[in-house]
Structure formats: structure tokens, C-alpha cells
Amino acid sequence: TCPFELQLRATFRSGMTIPEQFRMNQLQKLLSLVEENEQLIIDALHKDLHKPKFESVLSEIQITLNDLYFAIENLRTWMQPEYNIGKNLATRMDECFIRREPLGVVLIIGAWNYPLHLILLPLVAAIAAGNCVILKPSEICQATEQLLAELIPKYLSQDCYAVLCGGAEETKSLLKNRFDHIFYTGSQAVARSILLAAAPHLTPVTLELGGKSPCFIYGRIDIQKAARRLCWSKFFNTGQSCVAPDYVLCTVETRDALLPAIQETLLSFYGSDPGEGPDMGRIVTLRHWRRLVDMLRKSKGKVVIGGDSREEDKYIAPTVLVDVPEADSLMQEEIFGPILPILTIESLEEGIDYINRQEKPLALYVFSDESSVVSTVLNNTSSGGFCGNDGIVHMALPGLPFGGVGASGMGSYHGRWGFETFSHRRSCMNRSWLLEMVNVLRYPPYSEYNLGWLRWATTLKKGSWGGCTVM
């Protein structure tokens, strides 16, 4: 049994996490944790991933602060009962509403590629919704893991929130406990184990996974701007982003124009030797590095940019390949590194067909100056998220839900969407003793006469549905 689970469950049953003031206080303390320890966070991320300060601030610290600001600003509104419920004649005098209630004790399992924000953003949502939380940071990024284990108990209530460190065996043991929700970010393989572990307790899960997110470049396009945005989103965090463009789809003509633009862009971004510059990170471990190098070695594609690697510091240069067949080693699973295959198609329809033959991706990107191209791809494909003429940035907005579909995940979070994920929407009705002449129609002995009147009284007429609360 997890030593924290029973303690946290007792705390939850006491009602300590329910009041708005308590939730607000904990969110403010989490805000202080991030603001007061920015340099320690930057140092830990550099030690784990060789992350440049710029990327650490942008993708780990600021995204967490923005979600906290958003939650603090909107918490009171989110907690209010929802009364805009459609009624029929039989319920016209009744009080009908929806309450958002916390689920209980929840488990959040983080990932190594963004080891701070992928554990703190779900935590923001879980705190806002009034839950007790056990956090399991990724053991692969040990400096960040240890920093979180030190800071969380220092800033947040130890009766309500706990950090458990350890590897695969500790996680496996942890999953034997009963939780009221499990939130996991990581690979599809581990996600299957999470689902199996959740099944005996019928525990609901949120799975934030990944997949091969395509970047479809088609039609009239400013090739220089496209190259800059493509390179930034692909090679940010050394390509170790679940929403990074995994491969490019374009025509031969677009590819031939794109390649020199990518070459020029990489030179301006990282210099002639990216491995010696300050702005290119490293692969997280030697195991991950060897996997990428092996994928590259087995590829039938032609390396036209980059291709260099160094085992001693886990470096792989930004690399671009062409003439990559559909069955290539690089196309069998998510790459998750600074390697970009370019596949060619002849038409918009062929590109859409290719995307739809694959598993649904976590993100889909379309670059085109023609709005009809962007809308055609949007309307004829499915993905967790979609962004036209840029990459990654859609996930930074708290008002947009972030999550996958199909093999790229289930459930979503960020902003209000995370609050909803960690809340139970409880349907409530307080009935009036009035209009008993309508209610007697349902009592035995049954008759066709009563049934006819009851059907009329319980039918939702036009205009009686009410509205939906906008998230």
C-alpha cells in the first residue's frame, strides 16, 4: 500500500480541500513555488536535458505560470453551480443544477521531455477542482525529480499533496492502489499498462500520449516563413516534444524549394555547428540516443541536412531526409528527436488520404497561404489538436483543450478543461411539492389517459432546452 494514499484519503474525507479559499491558497503557493525558484528550475532542466534557458522559461516556467494565473482568475466562476438547464412542464417548479465536485485522491504521472510543466499543469487543475494528489515525476530527469520532491512539500499542504520518486517498479507498485483518477503523460506502451492497472478498480484515466504528427505543406506558400516556423517547432527541445512535427508531406516542387530554406534557417538558428552552440539541447539518455541513431541508420531515406551525432554528450544534429518510403524505419513510430523525414505527394487529396491511413495524431499542422487548403485539411481529417501555419503554439493557450484522440490519447486539460477533467459533474434536482396534479399522472393504476397527459407534460418543447455553459 502506498504510504501516502491512506493519509490523503483521510484528508479528502475531512473536506479540507473543498472550500474555495483553500484551493485558492494552494494555487497561490504553487505560483510562489515557481516564481521563487526559477533559477533552480532552469539549472535542473539544463542538467537533465541541456535545455537552453530560453526554452526552459518559455515551455516549462511561463506555460505553468499562465495556467496558474488563468486558474486563479477563474476559479470562483468554475466552482459555481450551473443552473442553465432545460426543463419540461413537469419540472418547471423544480431547482435543477449541475455541481462540480472533486473526484478524491488522484494520481498524476509525469513525463521526462517537459518534466516540470507536464506534472505541474495537471496539478494546477487537480488543486483547482479540490482533489488530493499524489505526484509521480519522471525518474529519467533526476535533477528535476529531486527538485520537485524537495519543493512540493515545502510550499503545498503535506496533508493533501505528496511526491513519490522512483522508477518503473515503484510506479507498478503505486498503481496497485485505488485512485479516483489517473492522469498519465507518456508513451502508448506504458499507457496500456496504466489501463490494465486501472481496470480492477474501474478507475477513470486521462492519457496524454503522442503519435506521428504531420506537417502538410501545400499550395501557395511563403517558403522562408514556413521553414522558420517548421524548424523552430521541430527542433525545439531537440525534437523531444509530443506535438513536434514528426514528418513533412509536400509536393516535389515544394520540397525542392523548402530544403535550401531549411538549410539557411538552421544556419541562422544554430550556426554552422549546432552541437557547439548554446541553443541546441541534448537527447535525454544514451538509451534514447541509441534508439534514434539506430532508426536513422536503418532508414532508406537520403540524409540531405545534418546527420552528425556524438555518443559522449548524446548529441544529434538537426537532420532532414528525403526519398523516405512509407514503410521506412522512421515512419513506424513517433521519432521524438531532431530527425525530420520529408515525404512527397502529388495532390491535396493524396496527402489527406495518407494522413487518414495513419493513427490519429496528437497534432496536425498545415502550412499554406491558401485558406481553402487549410480548411479542406481541417474538415477532412481528425487529430487531437490542429494548427494552421505554425507548430506547437496552439498548446500554450489555456482556453484551448489539450489532448489526443484515438491512439494519441483520451481526455484533455489546460485551463477550464483540466478543472473539468478532475471534477465530477453531479446532476442535482430539488423537487417542489407544487404541481402534484401533474405528478399523480405517473402513479399506478396506469392508464392510457394518464400516459397521454404525462407524455405531453414531459416533452421538451422548442425553446425549453436552455443553453450550454461556455467553457
Side-chain angles (χ1 to χ4, degrees):
T1 301
C2 172
F4 303 120
E5 195 264 341
L6 293 176
Q7 173 195 330
L8 267 59
R9 196 163 294 283
T11 299
F12 180 74
R13 286 174 179 158
S14 75
M16 180 176 174
T17 63
I18 305 298
E20 176 192 338
Q21 189 53 48
F22 176 83
R23 304 185 199 189
M24 188 69 75
N25 178 260
Q26 295 301 301
L27 290 172
Q28 293 281 5
K29 287 183 176 180
L30 186 56
L31 184 68
S32 297
L33 183 157
V34 179
E35 289 179 336
E36 293 172 8
N37 297 280
E38 182 169 305
Q39 191 56 51
L40 289 176
I41 292 167
I42 290 168
D43 292 343
L45 291 168
H46 189 270
K47 186 174 182 180
D48 287 330
L49 287 152
H50 200 77
K51 275 197 184 188
K53 176 184 176 181
F54 189 96
E55 293 189 3
S56 292
V57 170
L58 196 63
S59 66
E60 300 271 17
I61 295 170
Q62 197 58 47
I63 193 172
T64 303
L65 291 175
N66 287 345
D67 213 61
L68 277 161
Y69 298 147
F70 196 76
I72 290 167
E73 178 70 24
N74 292 284
L75 179 62
R76 176 166 294 178
T77 301
W78 295 348
M79 290 180 65
Q80 294 302 309
E82 181 183 338
Y83 286 96
N84 195 15
I85 311 298
K87 300 179 187 179
N88 53 38
L89 180 61
T91 57
R92 187 58 55 89
M93 304 299 292
D94 303 330
E95 183 186 34
C96 304
F97 57 96
I98 301 169
R99 278 169 53 100
R100 267 75 176 178
E101 298 182 348
L103 299 174
V105 178
V106 303
L107 171 63
I108 297 172
I109 304 175
W112 57 261
N113 57 324
Y114 292 94
L116 185 87
H117 111 234
L118 290 179
I119 200 130
L120 290 192
L121 258 66
L123 177 61
V124 171
I127 292 173
N131 297 278
C132 288
V133 187
I134 294 179
L135 297 169
K136 172 60 185 70
S138 172
E139 74 281 5
I140 292 174
C141 288
Q142 293 185 1
T144 307
E145 177 193 39
Q146 290 304 313
L147 184 62
L148 287 168
E150 175 190 331
L151 294 179
I152 294 288
K154 181 179 175 182
Y155 282 82
L156 301 185
S157 168
Q158 295 184 36
D159 294 325
C160 305
Y161 315 105
V163 180
L164 187 68
C165 298
E169 286 304 313
E170 286 79 7
T171 303
K172 187 176 179 181
S173 177
L174 182 61
L175 287 167
K176 293 178 182 177
N177 295 273
R178 184 177 74 83
F179 294 98
D180 298 296
H181 195 93
I182 298 173
F183 189 107
Y184 168 74
T185 303
S187 70
Q188 294 174 2
V190 176
R192 292 182 176 92
S193 300
I194 300 287
L195 286 172
L196 288 172
H201 302 295
L202 298 178
T203 302
V205 299
T206 299
L207 301 177
E208 298 293 340
L209 310 178
K212 297 185 74 65
S213 297
C215 180
F216 192 4
I217 304 176
Y218 192 83
R220 196 172 61 254
I221 185 78
D222 185 320
I223 208 70
Q224 296 297 332
K225 290 179 182 176
R228 284 195 293 271
R229 295 186 184 189
L230 171 64
C231 287
W232 179 81
S233 54
K234 173 61 182 180
F235 301 113
F236 189 92
N237 201 36
T238 325
Q240 298 170 116
S241 301
C242 56
V243 288
D246 192 86
Y247 62 95
V248 169
L249 280 176
C250 63
T251 63
V252 171
E253 293 77 18
T254 298
R255 180 199 67 188
D256 292 345
L258 183 63
L259 286 173
I262 290 177
Q263 185 82 65
E264 180 183 329
T265 298
L266 291 175
L267 184 63
S268 68
F269 279 9
Y270 306 113
S272 57
D273 186 354
E276 297 302 319
D279 298 328
M280 176 59 63
R282 295 296 186 267
I283 305 305
V284 65
T285 68
L286 274 177
R287 177 172 64 86
H288 292 82
W289 180 88
R290 286 170 183 147
R291 169 187 164 273
L292 289 166
V293 170
D294 189 55
M295 288 174 71
L296 192 56
R297 180 181 58 80
K298 291 178 179 177
S299 175
K300 299 294 192 293
K302 178 184 177 184
V303 175
V304 290
I305 297 173
D308 302 328
S309 61
R310 290 195 302 263
E311 183 172 356
E312 59 268 24
D313 63 347
K314 306 186 295 292
Y315 168 71
I316 297 178
T319 300
V320 180
L321 298 92
V322 298
D323 302 331
V324 178
E326 188 172 340
D328 194 74
S329 60
L330 292 172
M331 300 307 296
Q332 302 313 301
E333 59 181 298
E334 186 177 3
I335 294 171
F336 226 68
I339 302 169
L340 181 65
I342 299 179
L343 284 70
T344 55
I345 45 87
E346 294 183 357
S347 67
L348 183 62
E349 293 71 25
E350 184 185 349
I352 290 172
D353 181 64
Y354 180 86
I355 292 168
N356 288 335
R357 289 201 309 271
Q358 319 306 315
E359 295 282 9
K360 294 178 180 178
L362 183 57
L364 196 163
Y365 305 114
V366 182
F367 287 15
S368 180
D369 288 345
E370 301 174 39
S371 60
S372 61
V373 170
V374 176
S375 60
T376 298
V377 177
L378 175 61
N379 293 332
N380 290 280
T381 57
S382 178
S383 62
F386 179 93
C387 187
N389 295 320
D390 213 335
I392 293 185
V393 294
H394 66 289
M395 69 168 292
L397 197 61
L400 289 175
F402 178 74
V405 59
S408 59
M410 59 180 74
S412 60
Y413 70 123
H414 288 193
R416 174 69 184 261
W417 308 94
F419 177 85
E420 295 288 344
T421 287
F422 287 105
S423 298
H424 168 60
R425 289 178 289 280
R426 190 177 188 182
S427 302
C428 302
M429 176 185 284
N430 289 325
R431 299 226 64 193
S432 168
W433 292 106
L434 301 176
L435 291 181
E436 185 64 12
M437 61 182 178
V438 175
N439 285 294
V440 296
L441 296 173
R442 63 188 165 131
Y443 303 144
Y446 300 136
S447 70
E448 288 295 324
Y449 176 83
N450 284 359
L451 179 61
W453 276 106
L454 197 58
R455 290 184 70 173
W456 176 81
T458 57
T459 298
L460 284 170
K461 304 295 193 299
K462 182 179 180 181
S464 65
W465 285 91
C468 296
T469 299
V470 178
M471 292 190 177

